Amino acid sequence: MYAITGNKIFNHPAHDTVIIDGDRIYDVTNLSQLTPNIEVKTFDNAYILPGFWDTHVHVVTTGVMMIYPNLKPATCIDDVLSILSMNLHHEPLIAYGLAPHRLREKRYPTTRELDTVSRTQSIIVIREDLHSCVMNTVARKRLGITSPADVLRGEEFEPIWHKIQSSMGDDIIAQAIKLTCNHAINQGVTTICGLFSNLREYEIYDKLKDDLPIDVIPYVQTIDVESIVKLGLPRIGGCILVDGSISSHTAAMDTPYHDSDTCGVLYFTDDELLQFVRKAAETGLQVAMHAIGERAIRQLLNTYKKVPQHRHRIEHAECITDEQIEQVARHGIVLSMQPAFEGVFHNLYVERLGYSKAMNMNPFRKVFDRNIKVGFGSDSPVTNIDPLFGIKCATHHPNPELSISYDEAILGFTEYPAYACFMETEYGKLAPGYVADITVVDMGMNKILAVIKRGQIVLKQEQPA
Ligand SMILES: [Zn+2]
Ligand SMILES: [Zn+2]
């Protein structure tokens, strides 16, 4: 048994100390009331919070991106090509994080430009939102691409994405999962909802899970209900696409984009979607699916309304309307939103959707006002696993009327994600009997001071003397 003490404890204004016994919280109390035999670890300038969750992490892709080159720092096409040239020891060479809108040329590199890097080795360059890619001629041949377009997006991209993922070795996948979990701890995260692209990724995780430093709540992105039932998992889905993304013009809107004639894409017919969701829900599974545009959110809501309720999740919900928020509240549906999107993509939203629509996206204030349980996350690797940044973004929405308070944002990274996973009686709070998952941050909420997972201190930053 030991205690930690700081300046402030979340949701316990009268206390400063948490007593930990084994892997559980024994009590939340005051330093002055401790019996002298208990060892005390003191943190200065410290705010003690329940361990952060990240409700939406592509657990393998996040780690794979730490193994393969990342194009995020590139500012022009030449930068992209030189990063690729320096990484030809990977075969195939997969590069992530391409952001054409941040490049000076405001476009993707062409197939011909990628050919100048290599004509013998596959090069695949994936946009940061994981919804489109470009590749060199060798890669196009090996993957059997027949499309005349250089940029492959939407329905053309999906099968390629699956092929890329299934071509990775088991060792790379295992290494990637571990890298993601270790990175999460450094960011103050003690539990993630880990999205797995397929059953193979899940099986590799399942063999490793007892050795991982944090809890990974697995969401397997398949529509094969039987296979999930066989595994005994209580949930299915994750980022299964009802529509695409805003940056790739594939999120399904009611009206055309501001900078394109398209209204985006729905990947399921109403019937197909209902068939899958009904089968999963009637089997007792929680369903989680990706829906960004209001047209996709409507299709998914209309489907969820017709099936047994198990806290079904809508991932992202960036363009959710007032009327849809009402329905979400009424049917006990859970939202999984990414505050960092407002911090990172607001300018892109304005470009794609126009100013007035962009100023009404990710309406955190309205969601909290309706008492909807919203789990916050990063959609890593789309944005970094970084709850402190997420909290900043949720409390500083570009439209101040949609900002929420710090306390509310903390709930979105602690208690509500636990609710989203049916784990709220043991996780997400600092209370006696709860699992001792604790994140200690500085009082300004700018940095992580320590992370405690199941009662063990797994991260402790040196504090200046
Ligand atoms: Zn998604
Ligand atoms: Zn996602």
Side-chain angles (χ1 to χ4, degrees):
M1 189 179 279
Y2 69 99
I4 60 167
T5 188
N7 299 60
K8 184 176 164 190
I9 299 183
F10 182 64
N11 254 343
H12 294 270
H15 297 129
D16 59 15
T17 299
V18 180
I19 306 175
I20 295 157
D21 186 15
D23 65 351
R24 300 279 157 164
I25 292 170
Y26 179 76
D27 203 5
V28 181
T29 181
N30 281 317
L31 190 59
S32 54
Q33 282 158 351
L34 281 192
T35 53
N37 58 337
I38 295 181
E39 183 199 348
V40 181
K41 298 178 201 302
T42 304
F43 292 95
D44 297 326
N45 186 32
Y47 188 11
I48 299 174
L49 305 169
F52 286 138
W53 284 57
D54 189 313
T55 321
H56 189 122
V57 175
H58 294 266
V59 58
V60 173
T61 312
T62 297
V64 162
M65 284 178 60
M66 296 181 215
I67 299 170
Y68 288 103
N70 191 330
L71 298 170
K72 259 182 192 162
T75 60
C76 60
I77 300 280
D78 271 349
D79 283 356
V80 171
L81 300 180
S82 77
I83 293 172
L84 294 173
S85 305
M86 285 184 294
N87 284 280
L88 286 168
H89 51 281
H90 294 281
E91 169 66 283
L93 170 53
I94 302 166
Y96 292 89
L98 180 75
H101 59 284
R102 286 203 303 268
L103 299 181
R104 196 168 58 228
E105 296 86 350
K106 305 269 177 225
R107 63 170 175 84
Y108 295 71
T110 62
T111 295
R112 190 178 290 220
E113 283 164 340
L114 297 179
D115 284 343
T116 65
V117 178
S118 177
R119 290 175 196 286
T120 54
Q121 168 175 352
S122 292
I123 300 175
I124 302 161
V125 174
I126 298 172
R127 189 174 177 132
E128 66 180 353
D129 67 356
L130 308 174
H131 286 270
S132 54
C133 72
V134 281
M135 47 184 103
N136 69 348
T137 303
V138 179
R140 291 175 74 95
K141 272 196 194 126
R142 289 189 188 152
L143 288 168
I145 309 296
T146 51
S147 164
D150 275 13
V151 180
L152 303 163
R153 49 164 71 93
E155 277 171 338
E156 274 178 349
F157 177 68
E158 283 312 305
I160 299 167
W161 181 230
H162 287 293
K163 273 188 205 169
I164 294 168
Q165 284 167 318
S166 49
S167 70
M168 276 174 203
D170 289 6
D171 52 332
I172 295 267
I173 292 173
Q175 190 192 348
I177 294 169
K178 290 182 203 158
L179 284 169
T180 302
C181 292
N182 287 323
H183 176 62
I185 286 183
N186 289 326
Q187 301 296 97
V189 171
T190 53
T191 307
I192 59 174
C193 296
L195 314 188
F196 293 97
S197 306
N198 50 49
L199 286 167
R200 183 171 74 111
E201 285 185 4
Y202 169 76
E203 278 156 12
I204 295 167
Y205 148 78
D206 196 47
K207 282 190 204 132
L208 289 177
K209 67 175 182 231
D210 294 336
D211 299 327
L212 296 175
I214 60 168
D215 285 308
V216 177
I217 312 303
Y219 281 79
V220 184
Q221 306 183 131
T222 174
I223 55 169
D224 178 1
V225 174
E226 274 101 13
S227 67
I228 294 299
V229 171
K230 237 181 255 166
L231 293 170
L233 291 173
R235 60 189 91 79
I236 190 168
C239 236
I240 295 183
L241 301 182
V242 174
D243 64 347
S245 80
I246 292 167
S247 45
S248 294
H249 295 101
T250 48
M253 307 294 172
D254 282 335
T255 50
Y257 281 73
H258 185 64
D259 60 348
S260 160
D261 294 337
T262 178
C263 291
V265 189
L266 290 174
Y267 290 106
F268 290 85
T269 65
D270 293 352
D271 276 352
E272 286 165 353
L273 190 62
L274 181 59
Q275 224 178 4
F276 160 60
V277 172
R278 175 173 280 155
K279 187 168 178 185
E282 286 179 352
T283 316
L285 301 180
Q286 178 195 42
V287 181
M289 297 189 83
H290 155 131
I292 288 178
E294 64 275 359
R295 193 154 54 95
I297 297 169
R298 185 175 310 113
Q299 189 190 31
L300 186 55
L301 272 174
N302 286 341
T303 309
Y304 282 165
K305 281 194 289 191
K306 293 181 184 141
V307 304
Q309 293 308 312
H310 301 292
R311 301 183 188 175
H312 300 309
R313 293 172 44 153
I314 302 177
E315 307 300 311
H316 315 308
E318 279 151 272
C319 299
I320 193 166
T321 65
D322 294 359
E323 186 203 335
Q324 290 169 347
I325 289 172
E326 277 310 306
Q327 293 180 32
V328 166
R330 214 174 311 135
H331 293 275
I333 288 161
V334 166
L335 298 180
S336 156
M337 299 179 80
Q338 291 74 38
F341 285 2
E342 281 299 332
V344 176
F345 298 125
H346 177 68
N347 290 342
L348 186 77
Y349 291 158
V350 173
E351 200 177 299
R352 290 280 183 276
L353 301 168
Y355 180 77
S356 76
K357 183 158 182 167
M359 289 304 275
N360 285 293
M361 291 173 60
N362 294 303
F364 306 125
R365 179 72 270 146
K366 294 177 179 177
V367 169
F368 275 77
D369 281 347
R370 287 300 283 113
N371 291 319
I372 291 166
K373 297 288 196 285
V374 51
F376 283 152
S378 60
D379 198 9
S380 173
V382 179
T383 69
N384 190 13
I385 298 173
D386 189 352
L388 288 181
F389 178 64
I391 288 169
K392 287 261 145 49
C393 295
T395 53
H396 295 80
H397 195 292
N399 176 353
E401 289 178 9
L402 298 180
S403 288
I404 53 175
S405 70
Y406 275 88
D407 281 5
E408 288 168 323
I410 292 167
L411 288 176
F413 278 104
T414 55
E415 193 176 316
Y416 291 173
Y419 177 89
C421 296
F422 295 86
M423 291 164 70
E424 73 275 18
T425 58
E426 284 193 292
Y427 288 79
K429 271 188 206 173
L430 298 175
Y434 273 66
V435 171
D437 285 358
I438 298 172
T439 300
V440 185
V441 303
D442 71 298
M443 288 295 286
M445 299 196 73
N446 292 309
K447 58 178 188 283
I448 306 295
L449 302 181
V451 178
I452 296 171
K453 180 66 194 171
R454 293 186 178 277
Q456 304 283 331
I457 297 180
V458 289
L459 177 83
K460 189 167 183 288
Q461 307 289 8
E462 288 305 316
Q463 282 196 298

